[in-house]
Amino acid sequence: MCLHYKRRGNIFLILLMVVFTLVLKFIGDNSMKKNQHVVPNNGAWSVKGTGNSRNTKTFETQREAIDFGRNIARTQEAELLIHNKQGRIRQKNSYGNDPYPPKG
């Protein structure tokens, strides 16, 4: 009878460790990797992290915003998405661990 409960406990602990490992992996992969967007902002250009309501920083030129956003994207191993004056994405640059060769 005791052996039966020990086996159940071992299985439970193993499942708990697997779930915990998956949760840590998910949090670790997504918490620091926030894509950066270079977006138009009332005649200026801003860098904004995906999902953020506020701009990280605003610049007079798109070039300055791109340089700033690129540094953040490299640090976070994320993507830099550059928008045009109409707000549409015109270019994407990835600074993460992309598979090589790419799929497809």
Side-chain angles (χ1 to χ4, degrees):
M1 192 168 194
C2 282
L3 185 60
H4 179 70
Y5 287 113
K6 282 184 179 179
R7 284 185 186 159
R8 241 189 210 172
N10 288 342
I11 291 172
F12 177 75
L13 286 175
I14 291 170
L15 287 173
L16 186 62
M17 288 188 328
V18 168
V19 169
F20 184 70
T21 302
L22 290 172
V23 167
L24 283 178
K25 182 174 170 38
F26 177 76
I27 290 171
D29 287 347
N30 295 317
S31 63
M32 288 300 293
K33 295 182 180 184
K34 185 174 278 195
N35 293 338
Q36 301 298 311
H37 296 257
V38 174
V39 295
N41 183 8
N42 297 323
W45 292 91
S46 295
V47 176
K48 189 176 197 176
T50 298
N52 290 356
S53 59
R54 297 176 58 188
N55 297 325
T56 305
K57 194 167 182 180
T58 302
F59 300 88
E60 289 185 22
T61 66
Q62 189 182 43
R63 171 57 42 210
E64 292 172 308
I66 290 170
D67 292 342
F68 184 81
R70 182 180 295 121
N71 286 333
I72 295 173
R74 282 183 177 154
T75 301
Q76 295 184 1
E77 295 182 346
E79 285 192 6
L80 176 66
L81 293 92
I82 303 167
H83 297 250
N84 62 19
K85 287 181 182 180
Q86 291 75 36
R88 296 183 58 120
I89 296 171
R90 71 170 175 90
Q91 185 177 354
K92 286 184 184 181
N93 295 314
S94 179
Y95 299 99
N97 294 322
D98 294 335
Y100 185 81
K103 294 178 182 176

